[in-house]
Amino acid sequence: MQFTGTRDYVAPPELAIAVNAAVTLERPLLVKGEPGTGKTELARQMAAGLGLPIIEWNVKSTTKAQQGLYEYDAVSRLRDSQLGDERVHDVGNYIRKGKLWQAFDAPGKVVLLIDEIDKADIEFPNDLLQELDRMEFHVYETGETIQARHRPVVVITSNNEKELPDAFLRRCFFHYIRFPDAETLKQIVAVHYPGLKPRLLDTALTQFFELREAPGLKKKPSTSEFLDWLKLILAEDLAPEDLQRAPDQILPRLHGALLKNEQDVALFEKLAFMARRQGR
């Protein structure tokens, strides 16, 4: 199996190499990068490109590693025992399979996405070390050991909110998705908006990168936000001339798609005020 990207996903050569290396090594692919650079979508497109089903485990701050294996519903079993339900004699009726179990039990190879692992507690990655390494785990309530029928292709994403343990990192193949340059961004835009006029795209790209590279920006706009901005530009049927800013204007048209907090808006308003003063 070789991944080269898909019709809907532009994979730079270094990203394709990382994906194929992780598949060859049968190691989890740990993908980091700015929010909005396509980490989650990469796993979905990997599944499409490799012709495999995908199982997604979206991690939250309250997620525990055990939930990925299974959960034992002791409360339901107690209630059923009080009601005299015959199901109570089989503890397996109260075991809910987690995403890892589903991936291990799948009839064929699958892509398993563990999305935003850094949202969880710091012990979360450590609690999955053996399961991801050996591709098996023990169910204490039933006494059975669950082994992967086919080793899944594991993709783990992180926004770098927390440092991951060294022992966990050692078991992964790592790739950092760098923010795309202008040419790569043009290729990405061509996938989503194939009929976009070159002059409009060039004007939008120039303004976008000027905004993104402004010093002091708290949250730089991402690829997905640029695509949202282009969608609004097309919906408003704006021409390249409409995107041109007056000398005293710092913020681009429809900037709410690009700037997502008041500090960054205030920063550009301050720059505009300073530009007006200097122009007097």
Side-chain angles (χ1 to χ4, degrees):
M1 294 187 295
Q2 288 290 311
F3 178 74
T4 57
T6 68
R7 183 181 61 183
D8 301 320
Y9 191 90
V10 176
E14 64 273 12
L15 176 57
I17 289 171
V19 168
N20 293 318
V23 171
T24 300
L25 293 172
E26 296 187 323
R27 296 277 190 182
L29 174 62
L30 174 60
V31 185
K32 292 186 179 183
E34 295 178 28
T37 50
K39 300 184 295 298
T40 302
E41 189 61 23
L42 168 64
R44 295 168 182 160
Q45 295 301 326
M46 279 176 60
L50 299 173
L52 301 175
I54 185 169
I55 295 174
E56 298 187 26
W57 184 12
N58 299 302
V59 177
K60 301 178 181 178
S61 60
T62 56
T63 303
K64 302 298 181 185
Q66 180 64 32
Q67 293 171 293
L69 308 180
Y70 68 92
E71 292 183 273
Y72 170 52
D73 192 353
V75 174
S76 293
R77 192 181 188 198
L78 176 61
R79 183 190 63 237
D80 288 348
S81 68
Q82 293 170 338
L83 296 174
D85 193 321
E86 288 298 318
R87 296 175 70 251
V88 76
H89 300 297
D90 183 0
V91 68
N93 290 325
Y94 304 93
I95 301 291
R96 289 199 293 261
K97 295 180 180 180
K99 298 295 185 180
L100 262 74
W101 191 336
Q102 293 173 32
F104 287 4
D105 205 33
K109 203 174 189 68
V110 302
V111 172
L112 172 63
L113 168 63
I114 305 176
D115 201 24
E116 298 190 330
I117 194 172
D118 53 324
K119 279 187 177 179
D121 183 84
I122 189 61
E123 290 304 318
F124 182 92
N126 283 330
D127 292 341
L128 291 176
L129 283 179
Q130 297 303 318
E131 288 77 8
L132 291 177
D133 202 26
R134 298 181 181 177
M135 287 290 155
E136 66 176 33
F137 63 89
H138 188 70
V139 183
Y140 295 97
E141 288 77 8
T142 63
E144 61 183 325
T145 297
I146 305 300
Q147 294 180 320
R149 296 167 66 180
H150 304 274
R151 193 177 187 96
V153 177
V154 182
V155 181
I156 303 170
T157 71
S158 169
N159 288 326
N160 251 352
E161 292 182 9
K162 293 191 187 81
E163 287 294 327
L164 299 175
D166 288 346
F168 182 81
L169 295 174
R170 184 173 61 81
R171 289 166 168 81
C172 299
F173 189 93
F174 171 74
H175 183 75
Y176 184 87
I177 297 182
R178 300 184 185 279
F179 192 83
D181 58 23
E183 286 305 312
T184 305
L185 207 48
K186 282 184 178 181
Q187 295 176 34
I188 294 171
V189 170
V191 168
H192 295 271
Y193 307 110
L196 193 63
K197 295 179 179 178
R199 199 160 70 89
L200 179 60
L201 176 56
D202 287 341
T203 304
L205 277 171
T206 298
Q207 293 207 9
F208 174 73
F209 277 105
E210 285 177 356
L211 188 76
R212 181 177 162 81
E213 293 165 8
L217 208 59
K218 184 176 181 181
K219 182 198 175 300
K220 295 183 177 183
S222 66
T223 307
S224 62
E225 287 159 338
F226 178 61
L227 294 174
D228 286 345
W229 187 50
L230 285 179
K231 184 176 182 179
L232 290 174
I233 289 172
L234 292 172
E236 294 286 331
D237 197 22
L238 299 179
E241 293 74 21
D242 298 321
L243 297 182
Q244 297 297 337
R245 290 170 289 178
D248 61 341
Q249 287 182 317
I250 297 294
L251 288 169
R253 294 279 292 271
L254 304 165
H255 64 267
L258 300 173
L259 299 177
K260 299 301 178 70
N261 61 66
E262 62 277 13
Q263 295 98 319
D264 288 341
V265 173
L267 170 66
F268 280 92
E269 288 174 344
K270 182 178 179 181
L271 291 173
F273 175 73
M274 292 172 63
R276 284 194 296 270
R277 288 190 62 182
Q278 291 174 359
R280 288 177 183 173

